[in-house]
Amino acid sequence: MSIEESVEESTARGQLFDVERVLAGLTLEEKASLLSGLDFWTTQPVVRDGAAESAVAVPGVMVTDGPHGLRKQADSPDHLGLGHSVPATCFPTAVTLGSTWDPALVRRVGEALGRETRANDVAVLLGPGINIKRSPLNGRNFEYLSEDPVIAGELGAALVAGVQSQGVGTSLKHFAANNQEADRMRVSADVDERTLREIYLAGFERVVKRAQPWTVMCSYNKINDVYASQNHWLLTEVLRDEWGFEGLVMSDWGAVRDRVAAVAAGLDLEMPASGGRTDAEVVAAVRDGRLDEAVVDVAARRVLHLVARSLPALDAPGAYDVDAHHALAREAAAAGTVLLKNAPVVEASLVELVETSPSLDKLDHRAAEPLLPLASGDGVAVVGELARTPRYQGAGSSQVNPTRLDDALTALRAATGADVPFAAGYTVDGADLGSGTDEAALRAEAVEVARAAGTVLVFLGLPASYESEGFDREHMDLPAGQVALLEAVAAVSQRVVVVLANGSAVSVEPWQHLAPAVVEGWLGGQAGGSGVVDVLLGAVNPAGRLAETLPLRLADNPSYGNFPGELGHVRYGEGVLVGYRWYDARQAGVAYPFGHGLSYTTFAYEGVAAEVLGSAAGADDVPAVRVRVTVTNTGERAGAEVVQVYVGDPAAQVFRPERELKAFAKVELAPGEARELTFDLTARDLSYWHPVLRRWVVEGGEFVVSVGASSRDLRGSATVVVDGDDVRLPLAELSTVAEAIDHPAVGPRIDALVHGGAVADDMLSMIGDMPLAVVADFGLAGLTRADLKQILSDANA
Ligand code: BGC
């Protein structure tokens, strides 16, 4: 709903709230007061003369966390953690939602979040968070969707559209370059503009343009030495002037250092309350001429618009269906579960048969079956405390007080009707073991349970103390005790399935050879336990895909050595080579590539083709290349495949990643069913940010379009030749000879001078990189300063 429509609607309800009329009637002090919070969670009302309702000139509205569920603190607000927050559905965290690669599903989750927000009289839900996962160590990666801006942008836009369809707002956060928790309130993210534009801002741009979030939340950190909260370039020039953002910018909680500079930069609302201190600073700055009152009016008007568009929903909060939302949370948890590995296991009895029968000299590997899906609960045992005490969300401001909580052990027993034996195997976060027992005893008990079982599900993961908002991890490893448990179990069983619960990538290399099957359940929300069981049993065919690369080692990660920075600065030295862009450019091994995820069925890709639709000059949002592929479900089960389209630009003035995700689709196919998919890539999809011209450009020429099931599992590719932009820089005195030869107007003249015999042969290979002015000063090639002046004027005419 547009601002105008929402005002109309509230007017229709008899709540006449005409923003311009209200604004015109406010004093400077009142307008300044609108620009900061009343308390932790509400905007300041303007109340005049008394307590009667009619005395409220401007009502305050409530905003509250968070991305995957509502954290409304009904009383004793404490900013972080559960602190008496109302029960709300804890949907899967962003890491799980990101792995669904399913905008339609994420939109439905958004709608449900919107219903809960509305039902609780909250105007704005503080999410989604779409920062790029630059390092697996970021303690808050669980709150973010992907290492790739297309995934973050597509799914972020879907979530925003879903929430806002319910008449409440979102806050897209944390804008921008907030990719770590260490020193997050001060650190300067030192990052070049091309990298910002292509990686760290691109997701925000997509969400803003597609879904117009009601609000954007600026981040705590600085970007190239300027706090995001007072960064005019970021908050006004890029966000509003370029992208057309129409909503309000609020600060992250406590992110404002200089309130007057922040207002001037375009930060409308400071949160939480400043106790009136910064309101007075704003008034003083206007009075002494440092700040134009018109700038205060602009910010106050945006707060009033936010209030106006919030009123209809606040008037009619409605209710939501707790059971239906739990079911949706379960569906989303299963959809975001990634089957990393499901290797065939040869039955031990068969091995023995072959070894003891002289007539059989070879093992027939067709006899080998993967462990998953489980046929039933018979013979299955569960090991690992996390199966009973699930880790389903991360700590910090996003922590939701769930309406109920499923654990995998109970869900498995209920779904199979089997009396599945269980042993804890380890404790989580130093839980009290009581006297007479220790971790070794827990392990020994688990080994006995595993020994007696046909198949052992080993639940492993990161305890809450390992990752959270507010600090980063120091390593990617699972707790040593859990790995020791796996080793002990694997020593007595070949049929081991590892089920993981963690908010960011963990290293799997040290232990994954011990388990033929590995399932990544991430932090799946309140129904994560039942959702993962749906996948284990095959009730849901796994269709989650990695939205972040799982590296072999932490040291392989592109930010290694530049994370989390030092002395107040973090250098984004890897540039645009973030995540798979880095591993693919270096052809480096990974544990599991971006986009990876197995299914219980198989898919064939045929007929990958690409055709040019039109010129790509201008790098606009117009269709430039149409890609086609036919995907067939070649297995025996229905299932969904995530078809991924990558683009590479092999020859460009700047170094470009080997391939970049530009489009994807999740397609549900019955056994044997085939479907042709088409993807229209826009000119912008082919472009890069030109660091000198400071705009998006498409360098005409060849582009390679690849279609596949992961960034490393490409099933077909096609090459297209596209018309693009003229990206040559104006010729100048310091342009090189090679650049001048390349110039259409004057190139032949320079070429004739250089190759006309005036330059000695042994100089020819050196002269290409020589600036024209130096050539003239050296008197080479007969070029004089006067010639050069003429050549430059002809070239740039
Ligand atoms: C977090 C935000 C959150 C806000 C309000 C901040 O510390 O960074 O994501 O929305 O607190 O709780």
Side-chain angles (χ1 to χ4, degrees), residues 40-41 64-67 71 79-80 126-127 140 143-144 171 173-174 178 181 184-185 217-218 220 250-254 396-398 469:
F40 265 117
W41 307 117
T64 199
D65 291 302
R71 183 174 68 98
H79 183 209
L80 290 181
L126 301 177
R140 219 174 173 182
E143 267 193 78
Y144 300 135
S171 198
K173 65 192 189 182
H174 307 89
N178 171 202
E181 290 301 279
R184 68 171 167 162
M185 296 197 174
M217 184 191 293
C218 81
Y220 285 122
M250 69 172 78
S251 72
D252 198 346
W253 268 231
S397 63
S398 68
E469 176 179 345

Side-chain angles (χ1 to χ4, degrees), residues 189-202 223-224 233 237-238 242 572 575-576 688-696:
D190 295 344
V191 45
D192 65 86
E193 186 175 10
R194 181 178 162 216
T195 301
L196 272 175
R197 297 279 190 165
E198 291 186 24
I199 305 291
Y200 296 99
L201 299 184
I223 300 169
N224 297 320
W233 172 78
E237 291 161 50
V238 173
E242 287 185 31
Y572 285 38
V576 296
Y688 64 85
W689 179 263
H690 197 294
V692 179
L693 298 174
R694 299 200 58 211
R695 58 179 163 84
W696 295 102

Side-chain angles (χ1 to χ4, degrees), residues 159-220:
L159 198 94
V160 168
V163 173
Q164 295 191 169
S165 71
Q166 302 306 306
V168 292
T170 53
S171 198
L172 185 67
K173 65 192 189 182
H174 307 89
F175 192 54
N178 171 202
N179 309 100
Q180 63 190 57
E181 290 301 279
D183 204 19
R184 68 171 167 162
M185 296 197 174
R186 298 184 310 183
V187 74
S188 173
D190 295 344
V191 45
D192 65 86
E193 186 175 10
R194 181 178 162 216
T195 301
L196 272 175
R197 297 279 190 165
E198 291 186 24
I199 305 291
Y200 296 99
L201 299 184
F204 287 95
E205 179 179 1
R206 198 173 276 254
V207 179
V208 166
K209 288 181 171 171
R210 292 267 171 91
Q212 280 291 350
W214 285 17
T215 79
V216 165
M217 184 191 293
C218 81
S219 57
Y220 285 122

